[in-house]
């Protein structure tokens, strides 16, 4: 039997040789009998013989030439533009239907422009702040002050006329706000507040009555202080408020009111004093008014406006503070009286606030109608001339602008003599069939005795006035 072991061994050797050859060809392996290897040496020397440390490469940058930034001028600070506030002041007004002026308004359909010039109404509404002397209470309560010759009380609904006039602040420190006692005064506070009209110079107690009132417009705060010197008695009919009772603020003894002015001055840009003082029917300011004006100016007032005399009084600068002593009646009775509104422009420029302009606007009350006068109508110039004569060392130019120092060559005007008040108006009966050639207004009552107050646009016999239904004719009188 043949032995195949040799063949098997030879075959095994051939296979091994082929595998080695294939490995060499495919993997690049070194034959086992070679001493050198193409692979990575077992240990790599730390420094190769041909390597040298490369010099550090330093690139020198050329120095940059500093280019100076162009010089720019600093932006100028923008100063705020001056801002101004326009104020207008009107004198005595009353809405009691028992008196001639209000009865006339009722008989004219309750249309305000039938009793106050529409141009004047528009001018008052155009102001930023309109201040009016509200010389009566709004109420249906209370009783008239015993022994007082003239007492006023208006229906609360008549406050709408103050709104129509553009009133922004009502002065209550006067000698008629308390005519019907504390209840009527309290109703007055509620009525004005309900109509959106703040008030000053009276309150539920002394603290409120003595408090300044502030109005801010265009970033300018105007402070108002209001008090009455009338009546000049120790125990007046018009009661001063106390710690727990309503009333007005008085300035017969000015010490408390001076505190109010100082407080207003500290908390506002400009301080206005609105004061009830002087003597009725007298055109020249008296010594007590001028003394009080000096005290008010020293306490911090920037402008002083007065009322009560029912006639015009003049202007004066007291310690450099402008004073208008009396605005006169604005719309108060049927008498023919010169009157006015006074306008003031307050300007704030940066940190400084002051009076830029003060203007006297001549008006006339006649036949229960108040109208603004027009330059060139003759009456305007007459009123302006008299106002200059009532004033102390001021200039009032032809446009009514008032400045300190009398630089105008004005002829002297004689103040009008004022007649004593009549005890009662004359009366006459209206026949039942009306007057010859006339038709009575709607609501007029024939066969009644009425006072001598004529209606406009009618020619009635002297002493005859048709009256509105519902108003007792015997109660219709003319106020002071």
């Amino acid at each position: 039997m043949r032995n195949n072991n040799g063949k098997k061994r030879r075959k095994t050797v051939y296979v091994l040789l082929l595998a080695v050859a294939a490995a060499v060809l495919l993997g690049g392996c070194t034959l086992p009998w070679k001493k050198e290897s193409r692979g990575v040496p077992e240990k790599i020397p730390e420094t190769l013989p041909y390597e040298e440390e490369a010099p550090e490469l330093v690139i020198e940058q050329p120095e940059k030439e500093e280019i100076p930034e162009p010089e720019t001028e600093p932006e100028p600070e923008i100063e705020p533009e001056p801002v101004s506030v326009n104020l207008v002041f009107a004198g005595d007004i009353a809405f009691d239907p028992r008196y001639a002026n209000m009865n006339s308004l009722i008989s004219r359909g309750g249309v305000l422009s039938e009793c106050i010039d529409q141009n004047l109404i528009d001018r008052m509404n155009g102001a930023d702040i309109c201040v009016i002397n509200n010389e009566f209470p709004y109420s249906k309560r209370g009783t008239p002050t015993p022994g007082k010759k003239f007492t006023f009380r208006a229906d609360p609904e008549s406050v709408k006329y103050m709104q129509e006039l553009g009133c922004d602040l009502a002065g209550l420190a006067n000698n008629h706000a308390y005519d019907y006692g504390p209840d009527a005064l309290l109703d007055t506070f509620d009525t004005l507040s309900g109509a959106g009209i703040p008030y000053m110079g009276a309150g539920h107690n002394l603290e409120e009555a003595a408090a300044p009132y502030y109005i801010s417009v265009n970033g300018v705060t105007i402070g108002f202080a209001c008090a009455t010197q009338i009546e000049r008695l120790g125990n007046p009919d018009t009661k001063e408020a106390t710690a727990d009772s309503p009333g007005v603020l008085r300035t017969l003894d000015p010490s408390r009111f001076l505190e109010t002015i100082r407080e207003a001055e500290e908390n506002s840009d400009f301080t206005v004093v609105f004061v009830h003082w002087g003597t009725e029917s007298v055109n020249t300011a008296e010594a007590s008014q001028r003394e009080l004006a000096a005290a008010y100016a020293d306490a911090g007032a920037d402008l002083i406006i007065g009322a009560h005399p029912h006639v015009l009084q003049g202007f004066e600068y007291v310690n450099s503070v402008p004073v208008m002593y009396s605005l006169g009646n604005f719309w108060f009775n049927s008498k023919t009286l010169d009157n006015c509104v006074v306008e003031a422009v307050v300007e704030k420029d940066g940190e400084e606030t002051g009076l830029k302009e003060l203007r006297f606007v001549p008006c006339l009350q006649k036949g229960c109608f108040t109208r603004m006068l027009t330059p060139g109508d003759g009456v305007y110039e007459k009123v302006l001339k008299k106002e200059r004569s009532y004033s102390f060392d001021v200039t009032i130019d032809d446009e009514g602008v008032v400045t300190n120092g009398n630089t105008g060559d004005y002829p002297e005007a004689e103040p009008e003599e004022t007649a004593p008040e009549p005890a009662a108006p004359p009366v006459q009966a209206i026949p039942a069939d009306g007057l010859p050639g006339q038709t009575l207004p709607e609501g007029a009552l024939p066969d009644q005795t009425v006072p001598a107050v004529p209606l406009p646009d009618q020619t009635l016999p002297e002493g005859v006035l048709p009256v509105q239904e519902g108003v007792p004719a015997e109660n219709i009188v003319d106020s002071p």
Side-chain angles (χ1 to χ4, degrees):
M1 185 171 179
R2 292 183 67 178
N3 188 352
N4 293 324
N5 290 337
K7 290 180 178 181
K8 291 178 179 180
R9 283 193 296 270
R10 285 194 296 272
K11 189 177 181 177
T12 301
V13 170
Y14 294 153
V15 170
L16 290 172
L17 289 174
L18 288 172
V20 169
V24 170
L25 291 173
L26 297 173
C29 295
T30 304
L31 293 176
W33 58 82
K34 290 287 186 181
K35 291 184 180 178
E36 294 181 2
S37 173
R38 294 182 183 179
V40 179
E42 294 181 5
K43 185 176 180 182
I44 300 174
E46 294 180 0
T47 305
L48 297 176
Y50 55 84
E51 285 184 347
E52 294 183 3
E53 291 186 6
E56 183 179 356
L57 182 62
V58 178
I59 300 176
E60 293 185 2
Q61 297 288 348
E63 292 185 3
K64 290 183 179 180
E65 183 180 351
E66 292 186 3
I67 302 174
E69 294 185 6
E71 294 183 3
T72 57
E73 295 184 4
E75 294 184 6
E77 294 184 6
I78 300 175
E79 296 184 0
E81 292 289 330
V83 293
S84 61
V85 180
N86 299 315
L87 300 93
V88 63
F89 302 90
D92 311 326
I93 196 167
F95 297 145
D96 191 324
R98 299 171 304 143
Y99 288 85
N101 64 319
M102 191 62 185
N103 182 254
S104 183
L105 176 58
I106 294 169
S107 71
R108 299 170 195 178
V111 179
L112 187 62
S113 60
E114 293 296 318
C115 287
I116 299 176
D117 177 15
Q118 186 62 54
N119 291 328
L120 184 53
I121 295 172
D122 293 342
R123 189 159 184 160
M124 294 169 71
N125 275 273
D128 295 311
I129 303 173
C130 173
V131 182
I132 301 175
N133 179 39
N134 192 117
E135 196 149 355
F136 58 91
Y138 299 90
S139 183
K140 295 182 178 181
R141 299 193 297 162
T143 56
T145 302
K148 193 168 186 177
K149 184 176 181 181
F150 293 103
T151 56
F152 302 103
R153 182 179 62 174
D155 189 312
E157 291 185 4
S158 63
V159 74
K160 66 183 180 182
Y161 298 117
M162 292 287 274
Q163 294 173 312
E164 289 185 39
L165 288 168
C167 181
D168 298 295
L169 185 58
L172 291 180
N174 55 60
N175 59 306
H176 288 292
Y178 201 86
D179 278 357
Y180 277 72
D183 289 340
L185 182 60
L186 292 172
D187 290 343
T188 300
F189 300 155
D190 293 340
T191 300
L192 287 169
S193 297
I197 301 173
Y199 55 87
M200 59 178 173
H204 294 80
N205 50 53
L206 182 58
E207 181 180 2
E208 181 181 315
Y213 191 82
Y214 303 96
I215 300 178
S216 293
V217 180
N218 300 331
V220 183
T221 300
I222 310 295
F224 294 88
C226 182
T228 177
Q229 183 206 32
I230 310 299
E231 301 95 4
R232 290 174 276 195
L233 303 167
N235 184 29
D237 293 330
T238 303
K239 303 302 181 187
E240 184 168 34
T242 68
D244 55 6
S245 65
V248 301
L249 178 63
R250 290 172 55 76
T251 185
L252 185 61
D253 172 1
S255 55
R256 181 66 185 84
F257 188 44
L258 294 177
E259 293 179 19
T260 299
I261 297 170
R262 293 186 190 101
E263 182 180 347
E265 192 273 336
E266 290 174 2
N267 295 286
S268 66
D269 298 303
F270 191 89
T271 301
V272 176
V273 167
F274 196 68
V275 58
H276 215 67
W277 58 4
T279 300
E280 291 184 3
S281 304
V282 176
N283 293 112
T284 303
E286 58 196 26
S288 67
Q289 291 171 269
R290 301 178 78 179
E291 290 169 3
L292 285 173
Y296 299 160
D298 292 344
D302 296 303
L303 174 64
I304 301 168
I305 302 290
H308 173 66
H310 298 295
V311 294
L312 290 176
Q313 292 184 343
F315 289 85
E316 184 177 21
Y317 279 73
V318 178
N319 299 344
S320 300
V321 174
V323 182
M324 201 296 171
Y325 284 108
S326 176
L327 296 164
N329 282 350
F330 177 66
W331 186 70
F332 202 74
N333 54 27
S334 68
K335 296 178 180 178
T336 299
L337 290 171
D338 302 336
N339 64 0
C340 73
V341 294
V342 168
E343 296 175 329
V345 180
V346 176
E347 184 177 78
K348 184 174 185 178
D349 189 356
E351 298 298 319
E352 299 295 324
T353 303
L355 184 66
K356 182 180 180 181
E357 183 179 278
L358 185 64
R359 185 184 295 267
F360 172 77
V361 181
C363 300
L364 183 71
Q365 176 192 268
K366 182 178 181 180
C368 300
F369 187 86
T370 294
R371 66 183 178 95
M372 184 168 60
L373 298 175
T374 304
D377 68 4
V379 184
Y380 175 97
E381 286 74 21
K382 179 181 177 183
V383 174
L384 198 61
K385 181 178 179 180
K386 287 190 286 187
E387 183 63 18
R388 289 166 177 160
S389 74
Y390 305 149
S391 300
F392 302 92
D393 196 30
V394 301
T395 295
I396 307 176
D397 70 16
D398 291 342
E399 295 181 351
V401 176
V402 182
T403 52
N404 193 6
N406 188 356
T407 59
D409 184 17
Y410 305 129
E412 291 294 324
E414 293 295 329
E416 292 183 346
E417 295 183 3
T418 55
E421 296 175 12
V427 296
Q428 181 172 329
I430 300 175
D433 56 354
L435 297 173
Q438 292 187 329
T439 301
L440 291 178
E442 182 181 355
L445 302 179
D447 288 334
Q448 291 205 13
T449 301
V450 292
V453 183
L455 289 176
D457 304 323
Q458 291 186 317
T459 306
L460 299 179
E462 184 178 355
V464 174
L465 171 68
V467 296
Q468 183 77 15
E469 186 175 2
V471 181
E474 65 273 13
N475 290 340
I476 301 174
V477 295
D478 209 6
S479 57

